[in-house]
Amino acid sequence: MAENKKIAIYPGSFDPLTNGHIDIIQRALGIFDQVIVAVLHNPSKKALFTMEEREQMISECFQDEPSVLVDSFGGLLVEYAKIKNAVAIIRGMRALSDFESEFQMALMNRKLNKEVQSVFLMTGFRWIFTSSSIIKEAAQFGGDISDMVPESVHRKLMEKFPKLKA
Ligand code: PNS
């Protein structure tokens, strides 16, 4: 039975996790038996949160959801997907502007490994304009983003940005 488990990887920077990401994970759980949220370890990209912080915030959010695993990876995503026996890579789609780069990445991933399918899920309408970058931008100047991130993430953002109030 365990071999028949349909596993999907949801990769990303998650710097930090947003409610938009959570929406995608919940949709993916309706299709797959297990979703591995995989944080990319990319030393050349400057991040606000460390790998450990990012993984911890995601784990905290899904502590009551055994079908969600949190992990990190480096190198090629399709190789990681193969190691994890994943059948799919999940990516969230917001506005049309996401399409071009996602399409390019999906085709490259397919070229590198034909066994893994890219699955695009439409985010809930409420999160169409939500991104980690825009949230960090607003939060650093004290903008209220409390309804765009889970509580654990909001707490960590307040630690990083003293101007941000509860
Ligand atoms: O949250 P992000 O930053 O949009 O996620 C991008 C991510 C992690 C999905 C992408 O950069 C990735 O898969 N990187 C690993 C290297 C790789 O396999 N790239 C795609 C084929 S070139």
Side-chain angles (χ1 to χ4, degrees), residues 103-158:
F103 187 62
Q104 196 178 27
M105 194 160 69
L107 290 179
M108 176 56 89
N109 283 336
R110 183 190 284 169
K111 178 192 152 41
L112 298 173
N113 182 349
K114 291 189 175 37
E115 305 297 312
V116 184
Q117 299 301 327
S118 290
V119 174
F120 296 97
L121 296 176
M122 307 306 295
T123 192
F125 194 68
R126 196 171 165 203
W127 313 117
I128 288 275
F129 295 105
T130 303
S131 75
S132 300
S133 321
I134 203 93
I135 285 171
K136 284 183 284 188
E137 169 97 26
Q140 71 172 308
F141 298 113
D144 180 13
I145 43 74
S146 56
D147 58 347
M148 298 173 95
V149 291
E151 207 186 311
S152 56
V153 172
H154 193 244
R155 257 185 278 120
K156 293 293 282 182
L157 281 167
M158 284 194 290

Side-chain angles (χ1 to χ4, degrees), residues 11-13 40 45 73 75-77 91 105 108-109:
S13 304
L40 174 69
K45 194 170 163 188
F73 77 104
L76 278 183
L77 174 59
R91 292 292 286 170
M105 194 160 69
M108 176 56 89
N109 283 336

Side-chain angles (χ1 to χ4, degrees), residues 33-74:
D33 299 312
Q34 187 163 76
V35 176
I36 303 177
V37 183
V39 185
L40 174 69
H41 178 62
N42 183 0
S44 60
K45 194 170 163 188
K46 205 178 157 333
L48 175 65
F49 293 102
T50 65
M51 290 296 291
E52 292 69 31
E53 286 175 317
R54 284 182 265 168
E55 284 185 66
Q56 213 235 310
M57 285 185 278
I58 304 168
S59 299
E60 207 175 304
C61 271
F62 290 98
Q63 58 191 357
D64 298 325
E65 183 44 84
S67 302
V68 175
L69 298 183
V70 183
D71 195 14
S72 61
F73 77 104

